[in-house]
Amino acid sequence: MGRGPQTSGGSRTAVQRGRGVRSGRSARGVLAAAALLLAGVIPGARADGAATAPQGYDTVADRLCASPAGQRPATVRIRATLPAAARAGERIRATGVSVTVTLPGAFRAELARSGAVTAGVTSRLAVGVAQGGQRAEALWTGGAAGPVPIAPGDPVPTPPERPGTPETPPVPEAPPVPEASETAAGGTPGGTPGPPAQEPAEAVSAESPPPAPPSAPPATPVPTDAPTPPLELEFTGPVPDVTPPAGGDLTLTAGALTLEFTPYTADGRPTRPATLTVDCAPRDPGRPFATVTVAVTGDEPSAPAPGQDPSASAGRPRAPAIEPLPAERAPKPPPCVGDTVDELAMVAYVTGYSNVEKLDGAARVPVSCTQLLDVWKRIEPRPDGFHLVQHATGELDYRGRPMMPPSRATFLTYGAVPTTATMELTQLKTMTIDSDILLAKSTGRTLVRVPLALRLYDVEVNGVPLDVGPNCRTRGSLYSKDPDPARDTRDHVVLTGELKGPGDGYQLVTGGVLSGTVTIPPFTGCGADEDLDPLFTSAVSGPGNYLKQVQGAPCASGNPRPDPEYCTPGHEPAKVPRAER
């Protein structure tokens, strides 16, 4: 139910077609390539649409960001490059997208009070897309580069500068910018005159007596508790293309911004609660954060744009199409037929992403089938009320084997060397799922424990096979810090699901988000003609690999009359989840 490896950089190396890989330098290049595959970071080729020269946009504005502890001001900066003009029916692509958020120190202190030392953080920016009175919404998601330090005492980051214009470089601001004001590069200049020039100091001749030393400034009391420094976060990642169906100006307007923190203590355990959601809105709800206009030429296409209703009439305006990212165009899920004998048996699909520490990137986990068996539950009275305690065992199921579907792809290592390989995650022992829910508040936690080993095979570099042997795998299971000291045996992954309230969060019977961090152990058995274990270990193995999995609602396959909303006629899950960053 979870996976996640990654690699560090090595020396760049090219492998010539028709030549084998023999030297250590070549092996390091191949190793990094295999590690990239391992993480699932597979950049896809995307055709460029016909458009004019791209134009950069850079805008900063003040927002109000709300968390459970209250609402506080923050600064948000959005940068992106878009074409100034495009043609109807062809994709418009935003590149170089980054969202930088500077939160006040109170947010850092709020996380630290829960015991957080680091946190995984993702962002979701809603972008309204409009043309000819028709509207659609794109979701720009991003991730921070690795775990974010939370413990107070980090250096105070420099807040984002308010950008100037292409003609006028940014200069120091004079009076404070009004609360609801915003500045966009390429729009109205936002610079202000700098301070007046200083008068030159009076010269001192060799005969003149030296000036009196300046008096010492009065002593300033040193505060015993320094203010908590602000928290600056930068999010990057690909965003979906937009296809305009007709001519006419197309606008993109930034809207609601949501940050999702997954904090961890110093020993790698999730805090309680396991997640913190921060919602950021413009200070002036009546004014958009920033709007970019792209001039679109051409008549409306005779056929609907990709992603649109084919039955739409040619004369009826259609909304712009939001194209899925390559990673979101998942293949058909694998067969996943549940047990029909056990009355309590269930079966569910799982997918998600993994931030791999050494690769500094996000890896997409393929949709996998999980059989849930031996399900039981009981009600326990406790001082705070009645608790629902639930237990189940599980097994990954790919064509009858306890593993996730193999992942094979071709990609470029260091942007130069094409590499193809296959990754395989295999379950070593029984998976367990344990839930404890306070019924009166519908709050609680679920822990999923599963031992997973990682194997690499069928590796090719620039078309030349690299023989890593049939048993290039981790030395034992990937593992997490277990919150139960008696079970902290470093031989299984732990994923946590939090139920925050009625219908808000993870439950075994409804699905939801599961997250955790894993350590990738050393590799063994890698290399047929030479020992590649040390290279794979140094480039891939290590702690701090964040996982975020999404379980779909399960099908109660043991029910003689399964609910058609959740089960297909063949007793497979009807709900296929979408991966979330």
Side-chain angles (χ1 to χ4, degrees):
M1 255 172 132
R3 71 167 77 189
Q6 235 151 348
T7 136
S8 64
S11 59
R12 178 171 176 174
T13 177
V15 180
Q16 300 294 328
R17 180 177 296 275
R19 297 176 61 185
V21 180
R22 296 186 299 273
S23 70
R25 291 179 58 86
S26 298
R28 287 188 179 90
V30 170
L31 173 59
L36 280 171
L37 173 70
L38 179 64
V41 183
I42 304 162
R46 303 174 69 181
D48 291 331
T52 62
Q55 181 171 344
Y57 296 89
D58 191 344
T59 180
V60 176
D62 296 325
R63 288 204 167 190
L64 290 175
C65 296
S67 70
Q71 196 174 53
R72 304 180 183 95
T75 302
V76 177
R77 179 178 190 174
I78 301 176
R79 285 171 284 187
T81 299
L82 284 155
R87 287 203 295 263
E90 297 189 357
R91 295 188 178 201
I92 296 172
R93 177 169 306 154
T95 59
V97 175
S98 70
V99 177
T100 303
V101 183
T102 303
L103 299 167
F107 278 104
R108 184 191 291 270
E110 182 179 349
L111 287 163
R113 281 194 296 271
S114 69
V117 174
T118 62
V121 195
T122 59
S123 67
R124 298 191 302 273
L125 177 67
V127 177
V129 184
Q131 185 189 41
Q134 300 298 307
R135 300 179 182 276
E137 184 176 276
L139 196 62
W140 288 10
T141 61
V148 175
I150 298 299
D154 297 334
V156 179
T158 303
E161 300 175 355
R162 293 187 179 269
T165 64
E167 295 81 12
T168 306
V171 295
E173 295 180 326
V177 179
E179 196 172 73
S181 68
E182 295 154 335
T183 303
T188 304
T192 57
Q198 304 252 345
E199 291 292 330
E202 185 176 353
V204 179
S205 68
E207 295 79 13
S208 302
S215 59
T220 303
V222 178
T224 55
D225 293 321
T228 305
L231 185 61
E232 183 175 286
L233 307 166
E234 183 176 13
F235 304 96
T236 58
V239 300
D241 294 347
V242 175
T243 302
D249 285 352
L250 180 139
T251 61
L252 295 92
T253 303
L257 172 66
T258 300
L259 309 179
E260 190 80 19
F261 291 81
T262 307
Y264 292 91
T265 60
D267 58 5
R269 301 181 185 181
T271 61
R272 299 293 300 268
T275 59
L276 174 69
T277 301
V278 176
D279 295 310
C280 300
R283 287 200 174 188
D284 183 358
R287 296 187 62 187
F289 174 66
T291 298
V292 172
T293 301
V294 179
V296 180
T297 60
D299 298 329
E300 185 174 353
S302 57
Q308 299 298 310
D309 182 4
S311 64
S313 61
R316 182 179 178 181
R318 294 191 302 273
I322 310 301
E323 310 293 349
L325 292 169
E328 295 173 346
R329 296 194 290 266
K332 183 180 178 181
C336 193
V337 179
D339 188 334
T340 58
V341 177
D342 183 350
E343 294 183 356
L344 298 178
M346 297 187 293
V347 62
Y349 283 122
V350 180
T351 187
Y353 279 96
S354 166
N355 285 340
V356 186
E357 177 69 11
K358 287 188 175 179
L359 277 182
D360 194 17
R364 189 176 189 277
V365 177
V367 175
S368 305
C369 174
T370 303
Q371 301 282 348
L372 302 172
L373 305 170
D374 303 323
V375 182
W376 58 259
K377 58 185 177 181
R378 65 172 180 263
I379 304 296
E380 291 186 0
R382 298 181 190 171
D384 59 346
F386 289 96
H387 283 243
L388 170 64
V389 178
Q390 193 169 26
H391 173 84
T393 61
E395 184 172 287
L396 297 173
D397 182 5
Y398 177 68
R399 298 181 178 177
R401 298 176 58 194
M403 58 179 288
M404 292 182 177
S407 174
R408 182 165 183 81
T410 299
F411 51 93
L412 296 180
T413 307
Y414 303 117
V417 183
T419 304
T420 302
T422 303
M423 176 184 69
E424 181 179 280
L425 277 169
T426 301
Q427 181 177 335
L428 301 177
K429 297 179 182 178
T430 301
M431 176 194 310
T432 61
I433 305 100
D434 294 285
S435 301
D436 187 342
I437 298 171
L438 177 59
L439 293 175
K441 297 183 178 180
S442 292
T443 58
R445 182 170 71 163
T446 298
L447 294 176
V448 178
R449 297 175 171 94
V450 55
L452 294 170
L454 172 67
R455 176 190 169 216
L456 291 176
Y457 59 97
D458 288 350
V459 180
E460 294 181 0
V461 179
N462 203 23
V464 178
L466 172 68
D467 192 353
V468 298
N471 296 305
C472 181
R473 62 180 73 241
T474 53
R475 191 177 298 155
S477 173
L478 316 183
Y479 61 90
S480 307
K481 183 73 175 179
D482 198 301
D484 182 356
R487 304 181 69 173
D488 190 16
T489 51
R490 295 165 59 111
D491 62 358
H492 57 272
V493 171
V494 179
L495 298 177
T496 303
E498 292 285 338
L499 181 62
K500 306 172 188 176
D504 182 12
Y506 177 86
Q507 292 187 79
L508 177 62
V509 295
T510 59
V513 174
L514 296 157
S515 62
T517 57
V518 303
T519 295
I520 303 170
F523 279 79
T524 184
C526 300
D529 300 327
E530 59 181 323
D531 183 8
L532 300 179
D533 293 349
L535 295 177
F536 275 81
T537 298
S538 64
V540 182
S541 302
N545 304 289
Y546 173 64
L547 304 176
K548 185 175 183 180
Q549 306 287 284
V550 183
Q551 177 202 307
C555 163
S557 58
N559 189 335
R561 296 182 179 179
D563 188 338
E565 181 179 354
Y566 301 101
C567 299
T568 68
H571 297 271
E572 293 184 286
K575 305 292 185 180
V576 181
R578 294 185 62 179
E580 295 181 8
R581 293 183 182 270

